Amino acid sequence: MPKHRDKPRPRPPAPADDWALFLDVDGCLVDFADTPDGVSVPARLRATLEALATRLDGALALVSGRPLRGLDHLFAPMRLPTAAGLHGLERRSAHQVQAAPEPPPAFASVRDEARQLATRWPGTVVEDKGAALGLHWRGAPAAGDALRDFADAVLPRLPGYRLQHGNQVVELRPAEGDKGAAIDALLEEPPFRGRVPVFAGDDITDESGFAVVNRRGGLSVLVGDREPSAAHYRLRSPEAVRRWLAEGVAA
Ligand SMILES: [Mg+2]
């Protein structure tokens, strides 16, 4: 693949009172671990998010590829009233709850075959997210091709599904919905409505969110150095994101 030159992107300004803040989780708020379960949330981050949510009158939402129950588990005892999970497929807010669709009948057999394949590649993880299946190879980089090939091969057995490629993961997921659509929907409701939308994220799935906030005159913040990206601003790492958010609390 051709190596893209880094596009110059400034650091975003400190969080402001009139923002609607949407935050990806893995690779954005928290650092990656070898497995999704290995990730930990610094106690200070919880405090920062709670203080920011108060400052923004509740206009702060996590927008993640994890299922909502996984987000709540990860951030417990904190539980933000608004969140979008499964890349926007499921959502909860003060005004609505949108559940993920039921997976097709072949989902269980595909999952079992994936688990069988994973036993041949120690370090890989099959993540059953309910409606989606994540195949992770962060802990076994050599397994990437085998897991991608598997996902390509089984996709036709899951009608209405598509692949979501990410950072050392491929997911089989329902084709409908994305993070951008979830952000768009939340921006129609209080307390988000009428605010400047701001979205930070690191992965390809976050580009749909960048497109929405760019179109709505907001701020798009790429975390890390993935290229190409539609984001206008950049922070180098989850640690830089946490510092940036903390500025919004101190202000
Ligand atoms: Mg991410």
Side-chain angles (χ1 to χ4, degrees):
M1 250 195 348
K3 200 166 162 34
H4 294 273
R5 262 225 322 266
D6 271 17
K7 200 161 104 181
R9 293 186 181 87
R11 188 177 189 280
D17 282 340
D18 63 347
W19 282 13
L21 191 51
F22 301 95
L23 300 167
D24 172 43
V25 175
D26 294 85
C28 176
L29 290 181
V30 300
D31 298 276
F32 286 112
D34 277 353
T35 68
D37 287 342
V39 162
S40 65
V41 175
R44 223 177 21 216
L45 173 60
R46 282 192 196 85
T48 300
L49 291 174
E50 281 179 330
L52 258 182
T54 302
R55 182 182 169 201
L56 300 177
D57 289 329
L60 185 153
L62 303 178
V63 183
S64 172
R66 290 181 185 258
L68 288 180
R69 61 179 157 76
L71 284 178
D72 288 340
H73 179 72
L74 184 64
F75 283 88
M78 185 189 90
R79 186 181 183 277
L80 291 171
T82 309
L86 295 177
H87 310 281
L89 209 57
E90 55 175 3
R91 222 168 44 233
R92 72 153 179 259
S93 70
H95 300 270
Q96 56 166 312
V97 172
Q98 183 187 291
E102 281 296 310
F107 187 86
S109 58
V110 167
R111 179 196 58 214
D112 294 345
E113 289 166 38
R115 285 178 176 157
Q116 210 156 21
L117 176 65
T119 61
R120 301 212 295 271
W121 294 96
T124 60
V125 173
V126 175
E127 186 187 10
D128 183 352
K129 301 179 171 192
L133 194 68
L135 310 175
H136 299 262
W137 59 87
R138 185 171 303 280
D145 285 346
L147 294 189
R148 273 191 299 256
D149 288 350
F150 173 83
D152 283 334
V154 299
L155 181 63
R157 290 161 56 191
L158 301 172
Y161 270 48
R162 67 177 174 89
L163 299 184
Q164 174 84 58
H165 292 280
N167 190 337
Q168 306 193 63
V169 59
V170 63
E171 270 182 49
L172 293 146
R173 54 154 292 186
E176 70 212 62
D178 56 30
K179 288 189 176 185
I183 291 170
D184 233 0
L186 289 171
L187 283 167
E188 298 305 316
E189 312 179 346
F192 298 90
R193 192 165 59 206
R195 289 171 166 267
V196 178
V198 180
F199 177 51
D202 66 302
D203 214 343
I204 300 163
T205 173
D206 300 314
E207 292 293 328
S208 63
F210 296 154
V212 165
V213 302
N214 288 347
R215 176 168 53 72
R216 300 181 73 130
L219 285 72
S220 47
V221 183
L222 175 67
V223 182
D225 54 9
R226 184 181 51 78
E227 295 285 354
S229 173
H232 293 164
Y233 296 87
R234 184 205 303 277
L235 291 163
R236 291 282 165 188
S237 65
E239 197 199 339
V241 172
R242 295 192 290 265
R243 274 201 307 268
W244 168 63
L245 295 176
E247 284 168 26
V249 177

